[in-house]
Amino acid sequence: MSDTQIEILAGKEESRVFPPPAAFQAQANVSGMDSYLALRAEAVNEEQNFWGKHAREQLSWHKPFTKVLDETNAPFYTWFEDGDMNVSYNCLDVHLANGNAEKTAVIFEADDGTSTKVTYRELHAKVCQFANGLRSRGIKKGDRVVIYMPMSVEGVAAMQACARIGATHSVVFGGFSAKSLQERVIDAGAVAIITCDYQVRGGKQLPLKTIVDEAFALGGCDAVENVIVYQRTGGSVNWNERDIWLHDLVKDQPTECEPEWVSAEHPLFILYTSGSTGKPKGVQHSSGGYLLWAKLSMQWVFDLKPTDVFWCTADIGWITGHTYIAYGPLAAGTTQIVFEGIPTYPNAGRFWSTIEKHKATIFYTAPTAIRSLIKAADADAAVHPSNFDLSSVRLLGSVGEPINPEAWMWYYNNVGRELCPIVDTFWQTETGGTMMSPLPGATPLVPGSCTLPLPGIAAAIVDEVGQELPNGQGGLLVVKRPWPSMIRTIWNDPERYKKSYFPEELGGTTYLAGDGAIRNKETGYFTITGRIDDVLNVSGHRMGTMEIESALVAHPLVAEAAVVGRPDNTTGEAICAFVVLKRSRPTGDEARQIATELRNWVAKEIGPIAKPKEIRFGDNLPKTRSGKIMRRLLRILAKGEEITQDISTLENPAILDQLKDAV
């Protein structure tokens, strides 16, 4: 755990409560609080039977499992390990036999507004041809494949094709730099990269294939023998012997492909996430347990019906796009929208016009997007949700970070028309799926609260030695029992897995979420209060402060850097960097010029999402006499607050005045 002091404040308790609408509750998959409590009691009292029953009912098994949970090597828990299955089969083939073959699986909404529909039969054929193409290039079970793709049907098909042949995929967000891509290719030991010529977002084109070439130029990617390129725009690209066009790869390939039957514990994917050190963590997930929770949470949290049109606005480069685009909706047999663009192009009414166009019934987005669209609607009445027909929407969702109560109320009133429950979901890359959320037909809603754990999730709030705390007292969020979709390990680093998530201070078998939380004294509802480690949540994307600091210090001008977060009305948290140069402290135009150079440098090293919103220059950083940086003081400065605590232990108190000015 971080050795920084944990500061968790109770804050103002929210008093507004919104019960489930009677009409919604009457048809809900989990109807009424008694139903929720019964499921929760079953999960506690009959844990093995509870999970075993759902795994048998929800998934199709090639070879049935005989053991549900194995705890003998905790915290390396395994689920359904002796059962064989295939994730792609469960997402596609089952629908060819259950009456869904001609049902629309994906409505693809391109950046320019062009839309395309793909049925389950067509998606199955596309994935099979893709999988056969991968096999034709020698890619096999256990190989790792990096996917560096934009939002597209092809991106989803690439993930499904890897799953079909038992290859473990690692999707890298299309906004990451060549260096970030290179680091992930090397760490995963990838043998192939799937990418495209250009990514199209907001009317602009980003050359992904060129960035892949730059990653190779950095060195260390020699294990990659194939780069498969989807031709999105037809723009010019450089060509190498290892490159092959996707359309050439799949040409003449059969539209049937026998799945690779794998153990439920077979690694489905590795997804890299920022940690509190400079090196990204390769979070590794299983096949069976992961897919079970993806499908089950679709039914419980989103109250999924056969007629729904589901829209999750996330990117496949993040865990939300894995669970609630690439796998959960397809396993559940729903129709979903896959969106290539951004919420403000061609104007800030894009989300609302897309809902109207495709009659979306479930809309799942991030608080950052909601807050930015509130500002846009205030500035331009033409893009206010009231100007669009949103009558198809019956359920709203929020994901990526805690949603502030006032943004929740705007969402509820203006998008949901005071008729739609909001499922405020808390979960992480490591958890694989939603951990806490209202069940919309059962749980009274409180703005800003993710309410209660889902059945089977043993969440609790404890102190630094693992003692459970009473309601009303903030502490560390933990999960006391394993669950099927949990992280299995950190790729190539099992010791870091144990230290990061199952620290000895908490007994070695309790999952430490890395977030602080507090429970309401009366209802027991959970509210997340923020990270307890050096990880920032910027627009729902986790960014490690150490990673950004390492990038800054790699610049030839920089001697030292410290990065903290500060509250931001739009992005949740903003990145604030305190920088010491190898030369004298700059001021005025020179400071602005160097700050711009450093921001661009970080964008090149990590990606644009990691660019500091503000940079502050000093002759030094505030340190104790033993040399420890006082990050707590930097957080106070970043917030623009006055430092009232004792600073006599500082080696250089005068530095604080220099660091008050942001560039």
Side-chain angles (χ1 to χ4, degrees):
M1 283 185 286
S2 171
D3 61 0
T4 56
Q5 181 180 345
I6 297 163
E7 300 172 301
I8 300 172
L9 305 177
K12 176 175 173 276
E13 287 206 345
E14 179 60 58
S15 58
R16 291 169 289 191
V17 180
F18 299 84
F24 196 104
Q25 183 171 325
Q27 56 78 58
N29 293 341
V30 180
S31 178
M33 205 62 180
D34 287 347
S35 298
Y36 162 78
L37 292 172
L39 277 171
R40 193 166 78 172
E42 183 187 351
V44 171
N45 299 327
E46 304 174 49
E47 184 182 53
Q48 296 261 346
N49 288 338
F50 175 82
W51 292 118
K53 177 186 73 173
H54 285 298
R56 292 182 186 96
E57 290 175 353
Q58 297 291 336
L59 302 181
S60 177
W61 295 88
H62 185 68
K63 175 188 149 193
F65 58 88
T66 62
K67 186 166 189 175
V68 175
L69 168 64
D70 188 343
E71 302 181 65
T72 55
N73 192 29
F76 298 94
Y77 302 100
T78 62
W79 289 85
F80 323 117
E81 185 170 20
D82 63 345
D84 289 347
M85 49 89 69
N86 181 276
V87 166
S88 176
Y89 182 91
N90 273 273
C91 291
L92 299 172
D93 300 59
V94 293
H95 301 304
L96 303 189
N98 67 8
N100 280 340
E102 307 311 323
K103 181 177 181 176
T104 299
V106 175
I107 303 168
F108 176 63
E109 173 77 9
D111 186 67
D112 65 0
T114 305
S115 54
T116 312
K117 294 184 178 181
V118 180
T119 66
Y120 273 93
R121 188 185 303 282
E122 290 167 338
L123 185 59
H124 174 266
K126 183 185 285 281
V127 168
C128 284
Q129 287 186 303
F130 207 143
N132 285 324
L134 295 177
R135 279 179 170 162
S136 75
R137 306 292 287 194
I139 300 165
K140 60 189 184 303
K141 174 183 173 181
D143 285 342
R144 273 82 62 204
V145 176
V146 163
I147 299 173
Y148 188 57
M149 290 278 276
M151 288 298 294
S152 56
V153 177
E154 285 71 20
V156 173
M159 298 166 76
Q160 288 281 342
C162 288
R164 194 165 194 88
I165 65 171
T168 300
H169 64 67
S170 184
V171 183
V172 177
F173 174 57
F176 274 133
S177 69
K179 184 175 180 186
S180 292
L181 175 63
Q182 176 230 22
E183 289 171 348
R184 287 154 174 78
V185 168
I186 293 171
D187 191 74
V191 301
I193 299 174
I194 301 171
T195 189
C196 75
D197 54 359
Y198 289 81
Q199 174 174 250
V200 183
R201 292 183 82 240
K204 299 174 182 175
Q205 296 188 14
L206 180 71
L208 292 194
K209 171 60 166 63
T210 299
I211 295 172
V212 171
D213 292 341
E214 291 172 1
F216 275 96
L218 292 171
C221 300
D222 301 338
V224 177
E225 296 179 356
N226 293 279
V227 175
I228 297 156
V229 186
Y230 163 51
Q231 192 172 38
R232 170 65 182 87
T233 69
S236 63
V237 293
N238 290 325
W239 212 245
N240 300 283
E241 286 184 3
R242 60 178 172 260
D243 300 335
I244 180 172
W245 288 112
L246 175 60
H247 55 261
D248 289 333
L249 180 78
V250 302
K251 187 171 59 179
D252 301 327
Q253 291 291 349
T255 56
E256 294 287 337
C257 175
E258 178 67 17
E260 185 75 39
W261 303 109
V262 298
S263 160
E265 278 298 313
H266 180 74
L268 176 62
F269 64 86
I270 306 162
L271 186 56
Y272 287 86
T273 184
S274 290
S276 54
T277 69
K279 183 183 176 186
K281 294 181 291 190
V283 172
Q284 187 230 295
H285 277 287
S286 72
S287 296
Y290 170 80
L291 191 66
L292 169 62
W293 195 236
K295 187 177 180 185
L296 203 54
S297 58
M298 284 292 300
Q299 295 166 0
W300 285 350
V301 176
F302 298 109
D303 189 55
L304 207 60
K305 306 293 187 227
T307 54
D308 274 320
V309 177
F310 178 81
W311 184 16
C312 170
T313 68
D315 190 284
I316 56 170
W318 308 109
I319 188 63
T320 307
H322 281 55
T323 306
Y324 298 114
I325 295 178
Y327 292 114
L330 296 178
T334 196
T335 296
Q336 68 168 321
I337 297 167
V338 170
F339 177 57
E340 182 180 42
I342 60 173
T344 53
Y345 178 81
N347 58 58
R350 183 65 184 273
F351 274 3
W352 321 133
S353 64
T354 302
I355 289 173
E356 180 180 69
K357 177 180 178 182
H358 298 300
K359 301 291 183 284
T361 61
I362 302 170
F363 180 64
Y364 191 37
T365 195
T368 300
I370 296 166
R371 288 191 292 265
S372 68
L373 295 176
I374 292 172
K375 289 172 69 174
D378 287 344
D380 180 3
V383 297
H384 193 279
S386 61
N387 293 309
F388 301 85
D389 180 6
L390 306 182
S391 59
S392 61
V393 179
R394 67 181 192 88
L395 181 63
L396 299 171
S398 171
V399 62
E401 60 186 300
I403 182 169
N404 56 302
E406 293 317 307
W408 192 103
M409 288 302 306
W410 185 91
Y411 196 29
Y412 182 76
N413 292 330
N414 294 284
V415 183
R417 313 171 311 284
E418 301 180 19
L419 299 171
C420 303
I422 297 176
V423 287
D424 176 4
T425 61
F426 167 79
W427 59 295
Q428 304 169 310
T429 303
E430 295 87 346
T431 71
T434 299
M435 300 294 278
M436 290 192 276
S437 169
L439 298 189
T443 317
L445 307 174
V446 171
S449 172
C450 55
T451 68
L452 296 168
L454 268 58
I457 304 303
I461 297 174
V462 302
D463 63 17
E464 286 87 343
V465 293
Q467 291 298 309
E468 200 154 341
L469 295 170
N471 289 359
Q473 192 170 332
L476 309 173
L477 179 63
V478 300
V479 185
K480 301 176 86 171
R481 292 291 301 151
W483 67 99
S485 67
M486 66 191 296
I487 176 177
R488 293 308 195 259
T489 190
I490 293 174
W491 187 255
N492 286 333
D493 202 342
E495 287 305 312
R496 189 179 181 191
Y497 164 76
K498 290 194 290 185
K499 185 177 178 182
S500 297
Y501 302 113
F502 296 92
E504 287 302 322
E505 304 98 293
L506 300 182
T509 59
T510 295
Y511 174 81
L512 176 66
D515 283 290
I518 190 166
R519 297 189 75 172
N520 182 278
K521 287 180 181 177
E522 283 75 40
T523 62
Y525 278 12
F526 287 75
T527 298
I528 307 301
T529 56
R531 296 294 298 179
I532 61 168
D533 57 12
D534 296 321
V535 176
L536 309 180
N537 195 327
V538 183
S539 299
H541 303 151
R542 276 172 53 178
M543 300 302 306
T545 57
M546 185 73 74
E547 196 174 359
I548 302 167
E549 289 169 7
S550 298
L552 284 165
V553 173
H555 190 282
L557 283 179
V558 177
E560 198 170 13
V563 169
V564 300
R566 64 163 174 78
D568 185 273
N569 288 335
T570 301
T571 60
E573 272 190 296
I575 299 168
C576 182
F578 296 83
V579 174
V580 179
L581 299 180
K582 293 175 181 175
R583 38 146 292 180
S584 60
R585 178 169 63 98
T587 58
D589 288 343
E590 185 185 28
R592 284 187 282 276
Q593 181 182 342
I594 294 174
T596 299
E597 184 179 340
L598 293 180
R599 286 193 186 98
N600 293 337
W601 173 269
V602 171
K604 188 172 183 295
E605 290 286 294
I606 301 174
I609 56 171
K611 288 167 72 170
K613 188 159 189 176
E614 63 183 42
I615 292 178
R616 304 180 184 213
F617 294 105
D619 292 328
N620 209 325
L621 297 175
K623 297 176 183 177
T624 63
R625 291 182 179 87
S626 64
K628 181 179 178 183
I629 298 171
M630 297 291 285
R631 292 175 187 274
R632 211 173 322 125
L633 297 180
L634 295 180
R635 291 189 189 100
I636 293 170
L637 288 174
K639 292 175 185 175
E641 298 172 352
E642 287 298 318
I643 295 173
T644 57
Q645 65 195 78
D646 180 21
I647 57 172
S648 60
T649 58
L650 282 182
E651 182 183 40
N652 47 1
I655 292 297
L656 297 175
D657 288 331
Q658 293 182 2
L659 297 173
K660 285 181 179 177
D661 297 327
V663 180

